[in-house]
């Protein structure tokens, strides 16, 4: 386990540069770059088939790297066998060894390292304790529930004290309630262990709940890397905005782009707007105006920093403290999350406004409903 | 064909024996039909076509693979399917003791008059003055060797002592002959060979165990032995006659030895199972008489080459043809040790198994 | 229909489906065995079966060094060949299951080809290979490695082991392959992930988890080897006698069905005992957990 030389701590734990993965008939990963800092919860978020699991498997050592580099603490990983990488994985189906008891599953990695028996059992006990599975130590995996197996799989991985823990959609098989519960525990565990987690999921809520950094992927490419706040509030393109959901995307005509101040002027159905834009926005390329449903409010009184417009209400959905109003303007559909006291009747016009500062010009055309993931 | 798991073997052994074989075209039986269970090489159409044409008797053939198989088949209730069978002369008493045969009417077999003297006088095949199995055809089982690979003519001692041909010898995997040859080698009186007491048997067993160390293998089928001679695996073996002729025909210098201590002679008989219909019995007698006659005798002497048990065909054969089937100088018959069935053959088989397992 | 009625009907259907098999096995396997069993208590006097129950046959066999020796020899060969087959079949099965993708069915069919040819043909083919003037000896002599043919290659226990192993290898490869094929790759990856190198992965994960295939293959080869008397007879030379050929002799040559039946039953009992002990030991071992899927 010492094939990785300890080098002076670089800024990041893991660096991936120009990572490409080719299969015989297609390219799964198209040259991606990203970093994983120390002690950080990073999530790769994307629909199935976007290449996120392939990246995870390349880091784990289960897939070869076609092009590009992966370094861990500055040392290249590409030609290191999985068993020599200070990395452990929690598999999607847990992959608990059915012929071993829970405690022997957890001890599997430690036994190989030839550390003293008492040390092994101490660490196994501690790991089981931290996932609250001490009472199940003597059972076989088949005797555990999905959630319990999940915890054992976690314990079996982190008990080896890896530098990086890889988690491949580990909560996918659990029911919603159990998933919420495990999210909290996972995040808590990552903080306590002070270990970096690389987590793969297609569930954006899960990504927001857990992550320090989210990497949004699509079709083998990275669409955006950012904190959950950045991804949520400032998606760089229509794909990210749409994937996260809850955002209005209005197609428009680019009037001008100022790359130094990162501002653009866009003509849309609710008027011509000058506001902040993504770096990828450029003249001659499609662009859309993006603002979240909750940024809209009913327009009284209208203020100068806001854009106001009238739309015809087509649906109203009651959601307790808020109501979701769907309205149309010039054939464009707009969703607004409004205070529950706001009056809105289907078929009637409603005046809406959104703060100029909360609007953003992003790259791309709105995703049509049938194209949506 | 032989692949059998242990269970299958036992199941097939029992079930097969109980069901028995049914002759080909059994349903085409007419008044004058003989269902004949025999060796395939005795019933070629070219041998019997004349008989069928002249007598109007139909012959339905069934073939046997070994004498023991034939007995098991008849013993397990197959007798009713056959009108004429071909037991070894030494085995007839087993059939008779089991009540499976009917006595033959020698008046209906005129050619029986011409039986060679040893077959006329033998006590085998008879009981209480009645003949149940009449000698049909006979031969000897000599030693056959590769004359090109051996310096001198072998005798029985070649198979039991010395190291010169160690690992190049073969013996038939057959308790009766294996132990009888050991008896000849150790010098048991010829008349006692098949009546040996335990002490004599023990002496034979010792010789057989010594022999086993010299053997390349035990052989089970004559085709296999022929193959072993041809491939040079075996230079000398207790054999049947065919490899000698087959391999000489292929240009290998083969030798045949008839050791002075004695040569095993064998003879198969014709016998009629008990309970056949009068018509079939009549027809079977007619067929027996044909089989002992000059026409069949000559064809078998040339085609076989085997001798029938009567002298009916002898004069029509050339000296060379007579020599081939050992009937030129009839005195050679005196050196034959005719196979008999030991009283406790089970004991012989057990001894033979002990030898092979030693 | 109430759920109880549905359940009853379901059980009846399941029972009905087993009837043909039950009848077949009963008629062609159990019944003859029972006949055999009853014979084993009789005696034979010349050609008459004496139907007076006695234990003499068993007594004689159990006190016979020869027959007990032959049974032990059969079991040793059965276990040994099965073990050899395991050692050879495992890498092959592993390769086919986890490395071959495109030509998988072609390779599996190829493995079956020996079974398409008859026993005797295969045996004689081996004679051509192993004989004194055979392919192998000629090759070695031509290469100057040896100057005299190696006689032990044919008609020896060595030859018996080689040919038996070859004959029954497919019966080991197939169940093993099926087991390994069904083994999720993630177990192998998990083991590597946790630091196991190739051998560790094999012994700690693949081997225990292919337990069902291993046991099935082992027992099949074991039973087939014990029952094969033709190969030892035709390839094994003067030491090629087997307990099955001895039984065969007793039934055929000696017309001693009672002793033959008794010997067959002693052999059957020994095999059953071995299989039972082997299965019990295996199930109790940590490896056996793979078969039970961790259930108690």
């Amino acid at each position: 386990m010492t094939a990785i030389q300890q080098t002076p701590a670089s800024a990041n734990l893991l660096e991936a540069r120009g990572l490409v993965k080719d299969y015989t008939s297609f390219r799964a990963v198209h040259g991606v770059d990203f970093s994983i800092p120390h002690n950080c919860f990073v999530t790769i978020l994307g629909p199935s088939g976007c290449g996120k699991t392939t990246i995870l498997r390349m880091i784990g050592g289960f897939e070869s790297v076609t092009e590009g580099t992966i370094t861990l603490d500055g040392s290249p990983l590409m030609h290191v066998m999985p068993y020599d990488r200070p990395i452990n994985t929690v598999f999607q189906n847990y992959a608990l060894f059915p012929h071993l008891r829970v405690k022997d599953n957890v001890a599997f990695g430690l036994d190989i390292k030839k550390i003293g028996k008492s040390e092994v059992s101490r660490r196994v006990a501690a790991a089981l304790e931290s996932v609250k599975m001490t009472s199940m130590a003597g059972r076989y995996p088949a005797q555990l529930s999905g959630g319990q197996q999940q915890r054992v799989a976690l314990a079996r991985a982190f008990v080896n004290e890896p530098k990086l823990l890889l988690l491949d959609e580990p909560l996918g098989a659990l029911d919603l309630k159990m998933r919420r519960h495990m999210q909290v525990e996972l995040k808590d565990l990552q903080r306590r262990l002070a270990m970096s987690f690389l987590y793969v999921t297609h569930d954006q809520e899960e990504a927001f709940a857990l992550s320090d950094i989210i990497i949004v992927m699509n079709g083998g490419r990275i669409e955006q890397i950012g904190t959950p706040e950045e991804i949520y509030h400032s998606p760089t393109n229509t794909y990210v905005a749409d994937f996260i959901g809850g955002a209005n995307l209005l197609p428009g005509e680019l009037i001008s782009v100022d790359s130094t101040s990162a501002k653009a002027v866009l003509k849309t159905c609710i008027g011509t707007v000058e506001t902040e834009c993504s770096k990828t926005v450029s003249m001659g390329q499609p662009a859309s105006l993006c603002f979240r449903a909750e940024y809209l409010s009913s327009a009284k009184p209208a203020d100068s920093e806001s854009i106001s417009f009238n739309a015809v209400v087509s649906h109203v959905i009651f959601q307790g403290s808020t109501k979701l109003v769907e309205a149309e303007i010039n054939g464009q559909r707009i969703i607004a999350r409004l205070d529950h006291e706001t009056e809105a009747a289907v078929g009637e016009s409603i005046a809406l406004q959104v703060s100029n500062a909360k609007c953003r010009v992003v790259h791309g055309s709105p995703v049509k409903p049938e194209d949506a993931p | 064909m032989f692949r059998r798991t242990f269970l299958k073997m036992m199941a097939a052994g029992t079930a097969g024996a109980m069901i028995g074989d049914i002759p080909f075209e059994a349903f085409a039986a007419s008044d004058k039909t003989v269902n004949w269970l025999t060796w395939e090489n005795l019933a070629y159409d070219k041998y019997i076509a004349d008989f069928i044409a002249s007598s109007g008797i139909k012959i339905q053939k069934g073939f046997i693979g070994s004498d023991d198989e034939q007995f098991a088949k008849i013993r397990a209730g197959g007798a009713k399917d056959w009108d004429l069978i071909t037991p070894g002369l030494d085995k007839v008493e087993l059939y008779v003791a089991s009540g499976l045969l009917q006595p033959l009417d020698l008046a209906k077999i005129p050619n029986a008059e011409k039986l060679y003297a040893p077959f006329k006088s033998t006590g085998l095949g008879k009981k209480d003055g009645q003949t149940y199995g009449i000698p049909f055809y006979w031969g000897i089982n000599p030693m056959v060797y590769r004359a090109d690979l051996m310096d001198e003519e072998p005798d029985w001692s070649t198979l039991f002592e010395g190291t010169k041909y160690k690992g190049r010898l073969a013996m038939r995997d057959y308790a009766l002959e294996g132990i009888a040859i050991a008896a000849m080698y150790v010098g048991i009186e010829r008349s006692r060979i098949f009546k040996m007491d335990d002490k004599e048997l023990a002496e034979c067993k010792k010789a057989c165990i010594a022999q086993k160390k010299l053997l390349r293998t035990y052989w089970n089928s004559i085709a296999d032995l022929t193959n072993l001679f041809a491939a040079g695996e075996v230079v000398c073996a207790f054999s049947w006659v065919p490899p000698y002729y087959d391999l000489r025909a292929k240009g290998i210098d083969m030798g045949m030895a008839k050791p002075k201590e004695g040569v095993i002679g064998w003879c198969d008989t014709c016998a009629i199972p008990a309970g056949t219909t009068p018509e079939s019995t009549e027809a079977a007698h007619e067929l027996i008489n044909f089989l002992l006659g000059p026409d069949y005798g000559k064809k078998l002497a040339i085609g076989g080459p085997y001798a029938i048990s009567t002298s009916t065909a002898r004069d029509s054969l050339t000296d060379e043809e007579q020599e081939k089937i050992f009937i030129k100088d009839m005195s050679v018959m005196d050196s034959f040790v005719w196979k008999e069935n030991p009283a406790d053959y089970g004991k012989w088989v057990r001894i033979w198994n002990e030898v092979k397992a030693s | 229909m109430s759920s109880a009625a549905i359940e009853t009907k379901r059980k009846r259907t399941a029972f009905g489906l087993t009837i043909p098999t039950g009848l077949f096995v009963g008629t062609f396997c159990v019944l003859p065995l029972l006949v055999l069993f009853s014979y084993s208590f009789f005696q034979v006097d010349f050609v008459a079966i004496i139907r007076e129950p006695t234990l003499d046959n068993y007594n004689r066999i159990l006190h016979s060094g020869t027959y007990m020796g032959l049974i032990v020899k059969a079991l040793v060969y059965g276990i040994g060949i099965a073990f050899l087959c395991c050692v050879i079949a495992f890498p092959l099965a592993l390769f086919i299951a986890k490395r071959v993708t495109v030509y998988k069915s072609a390779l599996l069919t190829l493995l079956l080809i020996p079974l398409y040819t008859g026993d005797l043909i295969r045996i004689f083919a081996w004679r051509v290979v192993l004989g004194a003037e055979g392919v192998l000896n000629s090759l070695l002599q031509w290469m100057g490695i040896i100057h005299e043919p190696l006689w032990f290659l044919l008609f020896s226990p060595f030859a018996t082991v080689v040919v038996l192993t070859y004959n029954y290898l497919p019966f080991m490869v197939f169940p093993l392959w099926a087991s390994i094929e069904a083994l999720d790759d993630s177990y192998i990856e998990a083991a590597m992930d946790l630091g196991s190198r190739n051998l560790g992965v094999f012994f700690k994960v693949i081997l225990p988890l292919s337990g069902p295939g291993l046991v099935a293959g082992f027992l099949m080869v074991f039973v087939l080897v014990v029952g094969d008397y033709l190969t030892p007879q035709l390839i094994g030379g003067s030491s090629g006698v087997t307990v099955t050929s001895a039984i065969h002799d007793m039934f055929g040559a000696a017309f001693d069905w009672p002793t033959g039946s008794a010997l067959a039953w002693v052999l059957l009992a020994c095999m059953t005992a071995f299989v039972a002990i082997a299965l019990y030991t295996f199930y109790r071992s940590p490896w056996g957990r793979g078969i039970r899927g961790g259930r108690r």
Side-chain angles (χ1 to χ4, degrees):
Chain A
M1 292 298 292
T2 52
I4 306 291
Q5 294 295 312
Q6 198 66 42
T7 51
S10 58
N12 289 315
L13 172 68
L14 182 131
E15 303 261 5
R17 292 289 167 259
L19 210 53
V20 171
K21 177 67 192 179
D22 282 341
Y23 290 110
T24 40
S25 56
F26 70 103
R27 177 163 285 196
V29 177
H30 295 258
V32 302
D33 303 272
F34 63 92
S35 309
I36 299 173
H38 291 280
N39 191 13
C40 185
F41 200 122
V42 178
T43 298
I44 305 182
L45 174 66
S48 56
C50 72
K52 58 187 191 299
T53 296
T54 305
I55 290 179
L56 196 80
R57 290 174 59 78
M58 285 195 279
I59 296 172
F62 308 120
E63 299 282 355
S64 61
V65 174
T66 308
E67 270 174 47
T69 58
I70 305 173
T71 55
L72 188 80
D73 275 339
S75 310
L77 263 190
M78 287 84 70
H79 301 294
V80 180
M81 292 303 287
Y83 42 76
D84 284 330
R85 300 186 185 202
I87 293 174
N88 287 109
T89 307
V90 178
F91 291 85
Q92 190 167 11
N93 61 356
Y94 317 138
L96 292 177
F97 303 122
H99 59 299
L100 298 179
R101 291 169 194 274
V102 164
K103 58 174 189 286
D104 298 322
N105 259 286
V106 176
F108 194 96
L110 297 177
D111 284 340
I112 290 163
K113 286 178 192 140
K114 297 193 171 59
I115 42 185
K117 264 212 165 112
S118 58
E119 171 72 358
V120 169
S121 42
R122 192 189 60 74
R123 280 168 70 174
V124 168
L128 286 176
E129 174 69 38
S130 68
V131 292
K132 305 185 185 75
M133 287 293 290
T134 307
S135 61
M136 302 287 174
R139 295 209 181 175
Y140 287 99
Q143 298 168 310
L144 303 179
S145 71
Q148 290 169 329
Q149 293 187 27
Q150 167 65 68
R151 291 165 198 228
V152 176
L154 263 171
R156 183 178 72 173
F158 73 70
V159 75
N160 302 293
E161 294 171 2
K163 290 185 174 173
L164 176 63
L165 194 68
L166 307 176
L167 302 100
D168 186 5
E169 305 221 22
L171 307 183
L174 303 182
D175 63 46
L176 185 66
K177 198 176 158 212
M178 178 59 83
R179 199 150 69 212
R180 291 261 158 78
H181 181 71
M182 283 306 294
Q183 284 171 6
V184 176
E185 292 200 5
L186 262 180
K187 183 69 192 166
D188 181 51
L189 190 69
Q190 189 262 328
R191 286 209 188 94
R192 275 189 288 138
L193 295 171
M195 199 180 274
S196 283
F197 281 23
L198 178 61
Y199 191 96
V200 155
T201 184
H202 63 269
D203 182 336
Q204 74 276 20
E205 269 186 52
E206 204 162 281
F208 286 130
L210 293 169
S211 314
D212 299 319
I213 295 172
I214 295 176
I215 300 170
V216 184
M217 284 195 69
N218 179 37
R221 292 186 173 82
I222 291 178
E223 299 283 356
Q224 186 170 6
I225 300 179
T227 62
E229 288 75 15
E230 286 167 348
I231 302 283
Y232 188 84
H233 295 294
S234 319
T236 55
N237 57 33
T238 52
Y239 178 83
V240 175
D242 190 76
F243 191 76
I244 301 308
N248 290 298
L249 289 166
L250 301 177
E253 193 186 320
L254 265 181
I255 308 295
S256 67
V257 178
D258 180 355
S259 54
T260 47
S261 64
K263 291 229 168 185
V265 181
L266 189 73
K267 188 180 168 199
T268 71
C269 60
I270 59 168
T272 302
V273 186
E274 178 175 10
T275 185
E276 207 178 330
C277 73
S278 311
K279 283 180 204 154
T280 47
V281 172
S282 64
M283 294 300 290
Q285 295 276 325
S288 303
L289 190 67
C290 171
F291 52 91
R292 300 203 59 84
E294 63 268 30
Y295 299 161
L296 284 164
S297 58
S298 48
K300 45 180 163 171
D303 72 61
S304 57
E305 288 304 302
S306 299
I307 310 149
S308 12
F309 55 93
N310 289 318
V312 179
V313 176
S314 53
H315 287 288
V316 177
I317 298 163
F318 171 72
Q319 286 192 324
S321 62
T322 61
K323 62 171 63 167
L324 212 54
V325 176
E326 191 186 295
E328 272 189 35
I329 174 171
N330 298 342
Q332 289 293 325
R333 201 172 60 111
I334 284 172
I335 294 166
R337 187 180 294 282
L338 302 173
D339 188 85
H340 71 285
E341 287 174 344
T342 313
E343 283 176 23
V346 174
E348 287 179 8
S349 175
I350 186 171
L352 295 169
Q353 67 169 358
V354 58
S355 160
N356 212 341
K358 299 229 165 167
C359 290
R360 191 174 164 80
V361 176
V362 298
H363 177 256
S365 308
V367 185
K368 292 192 189 88
E370 61 266 28
D371 297 338
Chain B
M1 114 175 126
F2 279 103
R3 157 81 47 77
R4 286 169 186 176
T5 63
F6 171 64
L7 293 181
K8 267 161 73 193
M9 192 195 87
M10 296 198 296
T14 316
M18 287 194 295
I19 294 160
D21 275 18
I22 292 165
F24 306 142
E25 303 172 49
F27 300 108
S30 74
D31 290 350
K32 295 184 95 184
T33 296
V34 177
N35 290 306
W36 187 21
L37 184 62
T38 191
W39 300 90
E40 188 176 7
N41 63 337
L42 295 179
Y44 292 139
D45 286 341
K46 61 182 177 183
Y47 295 169
I48 56 174
D50 290 350
F51 173 74
I52 295 168
S54 63
S55 67
I57 292 172
K58 279 193 193 166
I59 294 178
Q60 305 292 344
K61 294 180 272 189
F63 301 130
I64 49 179
S66 78
D67 223 350
D68 297 329
E69 176 199 325
Q70 180 175 232
F71 179 63
K73 204 176 264 183
I74 301 297
R75 178 73 170 72
K80 63 182 183 311
D81 298 323
W82 304 102
D83 307 316
L84 183 61
I85 60 173
T86 316
L89 185 57
D90 53 318
K91 300 280 184 193
V92 173
E93 63 172 316
L94 296 179
Y95 292 77
V96 175
S98 310
L100 296 169
L101 299 180
Q102 54 177 290
L104 299 175
D105 184 352
L106 293 185
K108 290 177 183 158
I109 311 172
N111 283 328
E113 281 302 309
K114 301 264 180 66
L115 282 172
Y116 291 119
F119 297 126
K120 240 179 202 173
S121 61
T122 181
L124 296 172
K126 294 170 188 158
K127 195 188 176 193
D128 302 335
Q130 301 265 42
T131 299
Y132 287 85
I134 187 164
F136 164 24
Y137 85 121
W138 62 279
I140 58 166
N141 291 341
M143 293 179 88
V144 170
Y145 61 99
R146 288 273 301 245
D148 55 340
L149 299 177
M150 286 185 80
D151 303 335
E152 70 273 289
E153 182 170 299
D155 58 20
W156 294 134
S157 71
T158 312
L159 292 176
F160 290 91
E161 58 192 59
T163 53
K164 193 168 177 190
Y165 301 109
K166 188 178 177 186
R168 308 289 299 273
L169 306 169
M171 181 66 212
R172 187 180 179 200
D173 184 6
Y174 188 28
L176 187 75
E177 289 175 329
I179 294 174
I181 287 168
M184 286 190 257
Y185 163 69
V186 300
I188 305 284
E189 197 187 316
R190 205 179 286 181
S191 62
R192 286 195 52 75
I193 286 179
F194 298 101
K195 301 179 180 67
M196 284 189 284
D197 58 28
D198 286 353
K199 189 167 155 273
E200 288 162 322
L201 279 172
E203 208 180 334
C204 294
K205 180 179 168 185
K206 219 173 115 189
C208 288
I209 290 173
Q211 176 187 59
K212 185 191 169 218
K213 297 183 177 68
L214 303 180
L215 297 180
R216 184 81 171 128
T217 189
Y218 292 99
W219 60 270
N220 281 280
S221 80
I222 199 63
D224 192 20
L225 180 63
T226 308
N227 188 347
L228 294 175
F229 275 129
E233 297 283 346
V234 166
V235 297
C236 175
F238 164 69
S239 177
W240 293 353
V241 175
Y244 174 77
Y245 290 114
D246 291 354
L247 294 178
R248 277 178 79 89
K250 286 184 179 148
I252 300 177
D253 185 9
M254 300 301 292
M256 177 156 55
K258 300 189 270 291
K260 60 183 185 315
E261 298 93 333
V263 181
I264 299 228
W266 53 265
C267 176
D268 282 354
T269 66
C270 290
I272 301 178
T276 52
T277 63
E279 293 81 13
S280 311
T281 312
E282 188 69 32
H285 277 91
E286 219 175 307
L287 179 55
I288 294 173
N289 194 51
F290 169 76
L291 295 173
L292 300 182
D295 183 44
Y296 181 84
K298 182 167 186 182
K299 283 177 174 151
L300 188 65
I302 294 164
Y306 291 113
I308 57 168
S309 55
T310 65
S311 58
T312 50
R314 185 165 183 254
D315 294 338
S316 65
L317 300 171
T318 64
D319 282 3
E320 195 190 333
E321 285 162 353
Q322 291 184 6
E323 181 61 50
K324 235 179 172 180
I325 57 175
F326 316 112
I327 58 169
K328 185 156 179 290
D329 173 13
M330 296 301 292
S331 70
V332 71
M333 273 200 167
D334 299 341
S335 71
F336 293 176
V337 175
W338 295 102
K339 281 202 280 185
E340 290 175 43
N341 195 55
D344 187 358
Y345 186 45
K347 189 187 279 174
W348 283 48
V349 171
R350 284 197 291 276
I351 289 173
W352 190 242
N353 274 333
E354 283 160 20
V355 168
K356 288 192 290 175
S358 67
Chain C
M1 234 193 286
S2 72
S3 66
I6 291 173
E7 190 55 29
T8 312
K9 194 169 163 61
R10 201 173 271 165
K11 276 183 185 156
R12 273 197 201 134
T13 313
F15 179 72
L17 288 172
T18 63
I19 286 178
T21 317
L23 276 179
F24 188 84
V25 171
T27 313
F28 294 106
C29 186
V30 177
L31 202 63
L33 275 176
L34 289 178
V35 171
L36 214 60
F37 190 60
S38 62
Y39 265 103
S40 70
F41 296 101
F42 297 156
Q43 290 284 300
V44 69
D45 180 22
F46 196 41
V47 290
I49 305 282
I50 301 166
R51 291 164 200 272
E52 287 166 13
T54 163
L55 287 172
D56 284 1
N57 299 318
Y58 286 103
N59 222 346
R60 198 160 58 235
I61 286 161
L62 294 175
H63 289 98
S64 152
T66 301
Y67 293 121
M68 291 317 284
L70 284 177
I71 289 175
V72 169
K73 182 180 169 187
L75 297 181
V76 166
Y77 264 80
I79 296 165
I81 303 284
F83 184 77
L84 257 178
C85 282
C86 262
V87 172
I88 299 171
F90 229 118
L92 195 59
L94 200 57
F95 177 77
I96 296 174
K98 295 298 181 200
R99 287 284 176 274
V100 180
T101 48
V102 184
Y103 298 106
K104 197 169 271 187
S105 55
L107 259 176
L108 288 170
T109 314
L110 211 63
L111 266 175
L112 279 177
I113 284 180
L115 296 180
Y116 291 148
T117 57
D119 270 16
L120 284 173
I121 295 171
R122 251 180 298 157
I123 286 172
F124 281 98
W126 274 105
R127 287 236 188 123
V128 171
V129 173
L130 299 176
E133 295 175 10
V135 175
L136 196 56
N137 267 318
S138 307
L139 185 73
L140 290 175
Q141 278 172 298
W142 177 77
M143 288 164 72
I145 295 171
I146 54 171
H147 301 289
E148 284 291 309
L150 298 173
W151 290 91
F152 77 87
L153 288 183
L154 186 58
F155 298 122
S156 61
F158 168 82
T160 306
V161 168
V162 168
V163 177
L164 285 176
T165 306
Y166 169 83
N167 271 358
Y168 299 117
L169 192 61
F171 294 91
M172 185 62 95
V173 175
F174 273 83
L176 264 185
W177 164 77
S179 256
I180 298 172
E181 188 75 47
L183 180 86
D184 200 309
D185 281 349
S186 65
Y187 291 129
I188 297 169
E189 287 175 358
M192 287 175 82
D193 187 77
L194 293 168
S196 270
R197 282 151 199 279
N198 298 340
L199 277 181
V201 173
F202 179 78
F203 283 108
K204 287 182 169 172
V205 177
I206 297 177
L207 191 58
L209 291 184
S210 35
L214 200 66
V215 168
F218 197 97
L219 291 184
M220 254 197 283
V221 174
F222 171 75
V223 170
L224 288 171
V225 167
V226 171
D228 186 342
Y229 69 97
L230 203 65
T231 305
Q233 193 174 69
L234 293 178
I235 289 284
S238 56
S239 57
V241 64
T242 54
V243 66
T244 24
S245 70
I247 294 172
H248 185 251
D249 281 357
M250 284 181 181
F251 273 88
F255 194 70
D256 190 352
W257 292 14
T259 312
S261 304
L263 181 54
W265 267 92
V266 173
L267 174 62
L268 196 62
C270 289
M271 286 171 75
T272 311
F274 166 74
V275 169
I277 292 169
L279 281 180
Y280 182 78
T281 315
F282 188 87
Y283 270 68
R284 297 292 298 177
S285 76
W287 287 0
R289 302 272 148 68
I291 294 183
R292 291 186 280 163
R295 282 167 197 87
R296 280 189 214 279

